[in-house]
Amino acid sequence: MAKMKLYYSPSSPYARKVRVVALLTGLDKKMDMVNVGLTPVAPNADVDKHNPIGKIPALSVKGMDLFDSPVICEYLDSQHKGRKLFPRKGRARWVALRQQAMGDGLLDAALLARYEGFLRPEDKRWPDWSKGQIKKIDGVLDQLEAEAKSLKGKPGIGTITIACALGYLDFRFASHDWRGKRPRLAKWFATFSKLPSMKATVPPPA
């Protein structure tokens, strides 16, 4: 297989998803990692060449550019012969995709809250906007606590996404005590975080 090139940032939770999948499938050995820095107000020209949306992660392979993280992860899962992280069919597939959607939805809200409080000039910040995003985060967390039993088992795309989302909360929202009322989710995450692929992709100190 032709060498793949992944445009990523160590602090990006979406890129972390891809990196975890690459490690779990052994495809990291066939991937060149290009560390780039960008924000919505400070784009990166190299990334723009490979993703018209201007976001990371972006994967360049066989003359084709793939984005965003769900697409890249599913592509990687099609390129190895081991246990699939995307179930092929039946209820298991829809459960995994739904879990991925919850994890990505949590991340979307967290990123919007982060940008509002970090990138937007202080005099232009909208507190109700941030509260609305935190409400979404807590809604997903409560649902995950209720469904914590379904997260157990071997890693799949759903649980990988959720774990990367929880890791991002620890990284950027350390003061938001998401564990306090969600002991089952916290216990599951503590175990999942011990996977070598999760340890290898922990974001650098904030």
Side-chain angles (χ1 to χ4, degrees), residues 43-79:
N44 181 284
D46 282 339
V47 172
D48 288 346
K49 291 174 187 172
H50 298 281
N51 182 357
I53 308 166
K55 292 181 178 181
I56 51 172
L59 183 76
S60 182
V61 59
K62 297 179 182 176
M64 173 174 63
D65 294 316
L66 295 175
F67 45 84
D68 51 5
S69 62
V71 176
I72 297 172
C73 288
E74 190 156 7
Y75 172 79
L76 294 177
D77 203 39
S78 74
Q79 298 298 304

Side-chain angles (χ1 to χ4, degrees), residues 21-23 33 45 54 75 79 92 98 109 123 134 158 178 185-186:
V21 168
L23 286 162
M33 309 287 282
Y75 172 79
Q79 298 298 304
R98 177 178 176 274
D123 63 328
I134 297 298
W178 67 264
L185 182 61

Side-chain angles (χ1 to χ4, degrees), residues 80-97:
H80 71 104
K81 292 186 168 67
R83 184 183 66 85
K84 297 301 181 182
L85 302 174
F86 284 76
R88 294 280 177 86
K89 57 186 179 180
R91 179 180 174 83
R93 177 170 176 79
W94 301 114
V95 168
L97 292 180

Side-chain angles (χ1 to χ4, degrees), residues 21-204:
V21 168
L23 286 162
L24 286 172
T25 58
L27 292 171
D28 58 302
K29 301 174 185 67
K30 300 178 180 179
M31 191 178 286
D32 288 333
M33 309 287 282
V34 184
N35 188 340
V36 295
L38 77 169
T39 72
V41 294
N44 181 284
D46 282 339
V47 172
D48 288 346
K49 291 174 187 172
H50 298 281
N51 182 357
I53 308 166
K55 292 181 178 181
I56 51 172
L59 183 76
S60 182
V61 59
K62 297 179 182 176
M64 173 174 63
D65 294 316
L66 295 175
F67 45 84
D68 51 5
S69 62
V71 176
I72 297 172
C73 288
E74 190 156 7
Y75 172 79
L76 294 177
D77 203 39
S78 74
Q79 298 298 304
H80 71 104
K81 292 186 168 67
R83 184 183 66 85
K84 297 301 181 182
L85 302 174
F86 284 76
R88 294 280 177 86
K89 57 186 179 180
R91 179 180 174 83
R93 177 170 176 79
W94 301 114
V95 168
L97 292 180
R98 177 178 176 274
Q99 288 173 342
Q100 179 179 224
M102 281 199 288
D104 281 340
L106 191 161
L107 281 176
D108 290 345
L111 261 292
L112 289 172
R114 164 77 177 165
Y115 291 153
E116 183 72 17
F118 178 70
L119 287 180
R120 191 181 296 277
E122 195 167 355
D123 63 328
K124 293 181 171 63
R125 290 175 192 167
W126 187 9
D128 286 347
W129 171 268
S130 297
K131 286 179 188 174
Q133 303 309 320
I134 297 298
K135 184 175 183 295
K136 293 177 185 179
I137 291 169
D138 285 336
V140 173
L141 290 169
D142 289 342
Q143 188 68 37
L144 291 172
E145 173 68 10
E147 298 179 15
K149 193 174 180 181
S150 71
L151 303 178
K152 294 176 181 176
K154 292 181 179 178
I157 192 56
T159 52
I160 292 166
T161 306
I162 289 165
C164 289
L166 296 177
Y168 185 75
L169 291 183
D170 286 348
F171 178 50
R172 294 298 194 196
F173 294 84
S175 63
H176 190 72
D177 179 24
W178 67 264
R179 290 174 177 81
K181 298 177 182 177
R182 305 173 187 97
R184 290 184 296 174
L185 182 61
K187 184 179 178 182
W188 170 80
F189 180 60
T191 300
F192 199 93
S193 296
K194 292 175 184 174
L195 290 173
S197 55
M198 289 293 291
K199 286 184 173 181
T201 56
V202 172

